[in-house]
Amino acid sequence: MLARVAENVYWMGRYLERMDDTARLINATTHMLIDSHEDTRFSWPVLIDVLGEDAKGFIQEGSSSELGVMHYLIVAEDSTASIRHACSQVRTNARCVREVIPREFWEEINSLHLFVQSECKLASNRAKRYNLMAEVIRRCQAVIGVMDGTMLRDDTYGLFNIGRHLERADMTTRIMDVLILQQLAPAAGRQTRRQFEWSSLLNAMGAVESYRRYYTEEPGETDVTDFLLTYGPFPRSVASCLEKIERSARWLPRSESVLKTIGNIRNALDSEPLHSLNTLGMHKLIDDVQAGLIDLHGALMSESLQAPAA
Amino acid sequence: MSDVIALDPYRPYPDCYDELVDTNGVARPQALAVARFIMQNGAEELARRQAELDRTISAMGVSFTVYSDSQNIDRAWPLDVVPRTIAASDWQRTSDGLKQRLQALNLFINDLYNDQKILKDGIVPSELVLKSKNFLAPCQGFEPAYGVWANICGTDLVRDGEGNFLVLEDNLRVPSGVSYMLENRTVMKRVFPELFAESTIGPVDDYPAQLWNMLASLSPQDAETPRVVVLTPGIYNSAYFEHSFLAQQMGCPLAENNDLYVDDDVVYLRTLHGPQRVDVIYRRIDDTFIDPQVFRKDSALGIPGLIGAWRAGNVAIANAPGSGVADDKVVYAFVPEIIRYYLKQDPLIDNVPTYLCMDDKERDHVLANLDKLVVKPANESGGYGILIGPRATDEERAQCAAAIRENPRNFIAQPTLNLSTAPTLCDGLLEPRHLDLRPFILQGESLYCTNGGLSRVALRRGSLVVNSSQGGGSKDTWIINHGS
């Protein structure tokens, strides 16, 4: 595989996952607000905290309107946090690597792009938005399904997977971080973490039922944070993402730094029992994991994806 | 035959050959199935299928790029719902003629860069070739594999009033369009599955495999699977869709210039796993841009040292640099003589009658008849710079006359042709529209010609301009074997 193409494939995976996760988060948040309790401090701008670093300029100072936030997260093409932007990036990167992907895969991405361009034009009301986000999620999954059924298990597949799972791990930690900060008082104990806010978080990851089973079947003192950070069988947990990245990275050239960084993140997660951490400790841990993911991206870019000098 | 189907109310133009119906509007034998479908289902159904076809094209991401279009770099590819049908018996002779022509042109190019016998024998004027900007001196004294320079040729054909195929021009540099021929067929199969079940339509989908086999046959190495790459100027090129499509369909890397480098006269591809030796380059970059050390120093698209590696016999380049010397509208006029000279055969397909402005007598004739002729610059492609005399203004004709007098070598003229037509869906109705045909011919170890080719259609009534960059559309082309 060409070094130039490798980077495109990686970003294609990242942006596709970002679209999927953003749509899930929007729907989960909407649901939570529908049945929110009076004492919740959750509000729309929280989503900006999760997803956006460049929200200023898009959202008016002090404005917390639902439509404003949705415009920023779904419609605004120049917002790097928007679904439309992510989708354009998926298509642009796919266009640059068409020669290494099967026709069906390309067509699925292309039709996803056409759909998003024509449907994600206005920040609409909640009912329409729910269906729209559900359709975006479904179409993202269709892309993954076609890829799974048609693509050679080669460098392209590996890098696409690394991109997807790095983005997914990042998104899982972002969501946890904000919810922890927003929702839990420093003294909040184990029980609180199982309150409804967490179930909306689980909902965003399609994890409500899986968590139920985990909670009733796994022995020991574990909770949602264990489930989302360290529980390998759950495909959106950080541990599961790391495992998939590691499996693909083994085949890459110059992957020592990448593999070492994965080890560092694992060590951070294993250092103490998660349920014993208070909110600040949890926040610090998640910061460490996020820093590790940034290192992982850096190692990939500066070593594995650089063509060796001739 | 009991099958007589009139395509009412469609009527062809009286002085043009219509591909689907005769002068009475009755379907030709090769068009029976299509005509039956139209008559049974009506124009409304056609319009519905056209809409479905447009949706399919956009879902498949079949697009082309227009340079001036800064906003929207990709435009959906225009394909008309009515296929063009050609009888297999007519096609066989045409296909043989195209192979004959490419064979002769390659002998000609090889001769020009080596012994120049044809110039010494006075068949083609020396100055015509040696002063041409397309004659690349650094290619002299070299002979590529099989002596073949133009490995991929796209020849533009038109049909005269009697339906005879004539060659309008040979594209020997980087001919494009074959991906649209292939995608048109894929789309039509999805939208008209019933017609494909009923007719025997010559398949086109072996082209990528034929192309790869031809390219592989050029490899200077003995390796069982030579490494073939497609070289593109990049994603902003107007034919990028085709470059990536062909690389995908052949299973080859698509390289930009920076993905390749030359070391000690060997070309390498920069891959994640280290350098990989390249055996064959299918270049989709103009030859004067491919090596800044030899040709244009300002080229940002080239690979320094590539010509050295090619001349050292370490890499094959298709089409070979310099093959454009035979892709010139003045040389074109000599092709029938070129065929006779090298092959000792008569041409199976004729040229369109052509006046050379470099010849005093012919120039006088052209200048006196500008209102009847089509004047073309010798070295442009894409339909640019053409004067269609009967439709030009006095001012345009005067400008053209001045340009001819200034540089006669640079112009040819041809009579305005009554290009053939085919029924085309225009605002819900079938109307005749003019079209041409670009088959693709391959020559490496052996010769191959596509089953039909890309039919381009002028969408404006009466217009003869078929180029997609200037508002033309396309049709799927069906070579029909309708029995004896």
Side-chain angles (χ1 to χ4, degrees):
Chain A
M1 164 179 259
L2 297 183
R4 174 178 53 79
V5 169
E7 224 172 283
N8 290 124
V9 170
Y10 167 76
W11 282 113
M12 184 168 73
R14 282 202 75 157
Y15 279 111
L16 184 71
E17 183 66 27
R18 193 175 297 178
M19 266 181 87
D20 185 8
D21 294 344
T22 305
R24 285 169 188 275
L25 190 61
I26 288 170
N27 268 0
T29 314
T30 306
H31 266 199
M32 181 169 71
L33 285 179
I34 289 170
D35 51 28
S36 62
H37 295 213
E38 275 177 16
D39 59 348
T40 184
R41 286 190 285 136
F42 197 99
S43 61
W44 290 107
V46 166
L47 282 183
I48 304 286
D49 291 339
V50 180
L51 300 169
E53 284 109 16
D54 64 343
K56 285 183 191 125
F58 290 96
I59 313 284
Q60 282 180 336
E61 201 72 45
S63 154
S64 59
S65 88
E66 182 174 345
L67 279 187
V69 173
M70 287 305 141
H71 178 81
Y72 171 70
L73 292 181
I74 300 174
V75 180
E77 236 170 327
D78 39 359
S79 136
T80 54
S82 78
I83 286 183
R84 237 172 122 172
H85 173 79
C87 189
S88 296
Q89 291 298 315
V90 172
R91 169 82 167 37
T92 304
N93 281 293
R95 188 178 182 268
C96 298
V97 301
R98 244 189 99 180
E99 72 280 6
V100 296
I101 59 182
R103 172 193 278 268
E104 279 183 50
F105 187 28
W106 158 257
E107 285 188 21
E108 205 58 51
I109 286 175
N110 191 56
S111 83
L112 168 69
H113 179 250
L114 289 171
F115 175 81
V116 166
Q117 289 304 310
S118 76
E119 301 302 319
C120 296
K121 276 190 198 141
L122 286 172
S124 50
N125 64 41
R126 285 184 185 178
K128 275 192 191 154
R129 188 172 72 221
Y130 184 82
N131 288 332
L132 181 61
M133 292 301 103
E135 185 62 16
V136 168
I137 294 166
R138 202 185 65 76
R139 285 169 178 264
C140 286
Q141 293 306 304
V143 172
I144 302 298
V146 166
M147 179 210 68
D148 189 60
T150 58
M151 211 154 148
L152 284 183
R153 270 35 178 182
D154 60 1
D155 286 341
T156 308
Y157 180 85
L159 277 166
F160 186 74
N161 258 322
I162 290 176
R164 272 179 67 208
H165 288 99
L166 212 157
E167 185 70 28
R168 182 179 279 185
D170 184 53
M171 197 64 113
T172 298
T173 57
R174 280 171 185 242
I175 294 169
M176 289 180 71
D177 197 13
V178 171
L179 285 180
I180 288 164
L181 280 183
Q182 295 286 319
Q183 313 262 326
L184 299 179
R190 180 165 178 261
Q191 285 306 311
T192 317
R193 286 184 190 165
R194 295 209 188 97
Q195 298 297 318
F196 74 95
E197 295 89 353
W198 282 109
S199 67
S200 82
L201 188 162
L202 291 170
N203 200 10
M205 305 192 192
V208 177
E209 298 74 19
S210 302
Y211 178 65
R212 281 282 137 223
R213 285 186 49 196
Y214 163 81
Y215 178 63
T216 54
E217 289 171 17
E218 291 289 319
E221 286 208 88
T222 57
D223 68 6
V224 174
T225 51
D226 282 287
F227 180 71
L228 293 177
L229 290 175
T230 63
Y231 190 53
F234 177 57
R236 288 178 186 272
S237 72
V238 171
S240 168
C241 294
L242 289 177
E243 192 189 311
K244 282 169 187 139
I245 295 169
E246 185 180 42
R247 214 183 295 157
S248 296
R250 280 209 194 98
W251 298 98
L252 288 179
R254 299 168 300 283
S255 61
E256 297 78 11
S257 304
V258 169
L259 296 173
K260 192 167 152 254
T261 314
I262 292 172
N264 293 344
I265 302 174
R266 283 209 182 107
N267 290 341
L269 288 173
D270 291 344
S271 58
E272 15 183 352
L274 297 185
H275 63 266
S276 70
L277 292 176
N278 63 15
T279 300
L280 283 176
M282 182 58 70
H283 187 50
K284 161 97 175 46
L285 173 64
I286 287 176
D287 271 355
D288 289 347
V289 173
Q290 286 178 338
L293 293 173
I294 291 170
D295 289 345
L296 191 49
H297 169 79
L300 202 60
M301 288 293 149
S302 62
E303 296 181 32
S304 298
L305 299 195
Q306 289 302 313
Chain B
M1 290 283 279
S2 59
D3 274 334
V4 175
I5 298 180
L7 202 61
D8 291 328
Y10 177 79
R11 283 292 173 273
Y13 297 138
D15 47 354
C16 297
Y17 178 86
D18 192 275
E19 305 276 341
L20 268 66
V21 300
D22 64 18
T23 46
N24 300 316
V26 171
R28 298 184 188 279
Q30 64 270 23
L32 271 176
V34 174
R36 200 180 295 123
F37 179 88
I38 293 172
M39 295 316 289
Q40 279 170 3
N41 294 280
E44 256 174 49
E45 176 64 12
L46 272 190
R48 205 187 62 73
R49 301 265 178 140
Q50 178 75 59
E52 193 183 328
L53 189 151
D54 292 342
R55 272 194 304 276
T56 308
I57 286 184
S58 118
M60 282 168 56
V62 186
S63 57
F64 73 105
T65 311
V66 177
Y67 277 123
S68 55
D69 233 353
S70 61
Q71 278 291 307
N72 190 6
I73 61 170
D74 287 341
R75 284 197 191 171
W77 172 250
L79 170 61
D80 179 65
V81 70
V82 184
R84 170 198 205 165
T85 53
I86 297 173
S89 47
D90 285 348
W91 184 248
Q92 188 56 52
R93 185 183 161 84
T94 311
S95 158
D96 291 345
L98 290 165
K99 291 181 197 166
Q100 176 197 50
R101 195 171 170 101
L102 182 58
Q103 220 181 343
L105 283 167
N106 274 316
L107 289 165
F108 173 62
I109 303 169
N110 202 41
D111 187 16
L112 292 183
Y113 286 116
N114 289 285
D115 303 339
Q116 303 188 338
K117 284 189 202 132
I118 198 166
L119 306 182
K120 288 169 192 155
D121 288 342
I123 309 292
V124 172
S126 292
E127 54 157 44
L128 177 67
V129 170
L130 302 179
K131 286 186 183 164
S132 162
K133 66 174 181 184
N134 296 317
F135 181 78
L136 303 182
C139 301
Q140 282 177 285
F142 184 75
E143 183 165 325
Y146 316 106
V148 173
W149 293 68
N151 305 101
I152 301 116
C153 171
T155 299
D156 289 344
L157 298 175
V158 295
R159 293 181 100 165
D160 65 14
E162 282 73 52
N164 300 309
F165 281 105
L166 301 174
V167 174
L168 192 61
E169 63 183 55
D170 308 286
N171 295 286
L172 302 171
R173 292 178 239 202
V174 281
S176 64
V178 75
S179 59
Y180 299 109
M181 173 192 86
L182 295 166
E183 291 289 66
N184 282 355
R185 179 60 54 86
T186 306
V187 175
M188 290 296 275
K189 279 183 181 169
R190 292 188 195 183
V191 176
F192 286 104
E194 65 269 59
L195 276 174
F196 281 87
E198 268 176 42
S199 314
T200 313
I201 302 169
V204 295
D205 56 7
D206 64 334
Y207 182 81
Q210 294 283 354
L211 178 60
W212 192 88
N213 288 344
M214 183 281 289
L215 292 168
S217 81
L218 308 179
S219 172
Q221 263 69 249
D222 268 342
E224 206 165 306
T225 45
R227 177 157 293 276
V228 178
V229 306
V230 180
L231 176 62
T232 175
I235 59 166
Y236 297 107
N237 185 268
S238 64
Y240 178 77
F241 168 85
E242 176 153 307
H243 307 161
S244 64
F245 178 88
L246 289 174
Q248 180 195 45
Q249 295 297 306
M250 289 194 291
C252 293
L254 178 65
E256 293 179 13
N257 62 331
N258 291 325
D259 299 323
L260 296 170
Y261 69 93
V262 179
D263 183 30
D264 199 15
D265 279 344
V266 174
V267 183
Y268 295 95
L269 191 63
R270 293 179 214 272
T271 81
L272 275 191
H273 297 272
Q276 275 181 353
R277 186 174 176 150
V278 173
D279 302 314
V280 183
I281 297 175
Y282 175 22
R283 58 145 177 126
R284 296 294 302 252
I285 295 180
D286 275 343
D287 46 15
T288 52
F289 284 90
I290 62 175
D291 185 348
Q293 287 178 0
V294 178
F295 302 116
R296 293 182 59 140
K297 309 269 180 285
D298 60 338
S299 171
L301 304 171
I303 300 141
L306 182 57
I307 292 296
W310 176 66
R311 291 206 59 129
N314 291 332
V315 70
I317 302 176
N319 289 345
S323 50
V325 68
D327 177 351
D328 172 309
K329 292 190 177 65
V330 181
V331 170
Y332 159 88
F334 291 91
V335 173
E337 288 312 311
I338 289 171
I339 292 173
R340 289 190 190 97
Y341 180 78
Y342 291 107
L343 301 179
K344 316 278 182 270
Q345 295 168 2
D346 283 326
L348 295 172
I349 319 177
D350 289 329
N351 269 4
V352 173
T354 302
Y355 302 102
L356 296 176
C357 296
M358 61 192 278
D359 180 283
D360 293 345
K361 267 192 200 156
E362 297 192 7
R363 182 170 62 250
D364 289 344
H365 176 83
V366 170
L367 291 171
N369 292 282
L370 272 184
D371 55 338
K372 302 186 190 72
L373 297 171
V374 177
V375 181
K376 297 178 179 177
N379 270 314
E380 293 289 338
S381 61
Y384 293 102
I386 291 182
L387 177 95
I388 298 178
R391 300 202 188 143
T393 61
D394 285 346
E395 196 189 339
E396 284 166 338
R397 281 196 289 263
Q399 277 171 4
C400 182
I404 291 174
R405 287 194 186 95
E406 174 86 11
N407 188 359
R409 158 70 179 84
N410 207 26
F411 293 93
I412 60 147
Q414 293 166 338
T416 10
L417 293 169
N418 298 327
L419 294 195
S420 65
T421 60
T424 303
L425 194 66
C426 303
D427 291 328
L429 291 176
L430 288 182
E431 292 185 18
R433 287 292 182 270
H434 294 294
L435 32 71
D436 76 353
L437 177 63
R438 178 177 289 183
F440 296 86
I441 308 97
L442 303 176
Q443 186 179 6
E445 194 175 12
S446 54
L447 278 157
Y448 167 85
C449 177
T450 49
N451 246 328
L454 176 65
S455 284
R456 298 182 301 174
V457 54
L459 293 177
R460 280 190 301 274
R461 173 190 288 274
S463 168
L464 299 173
V465 181
V466 297
N467 306 77
S468 53
S469 54
Q470 298 187 40
S474 72
K475 278 174 173 292
D476 193 18
T477 310
W478 293 0
I479 304 301
I480 303 273
N481 196 338
H482 54 88
S484 46

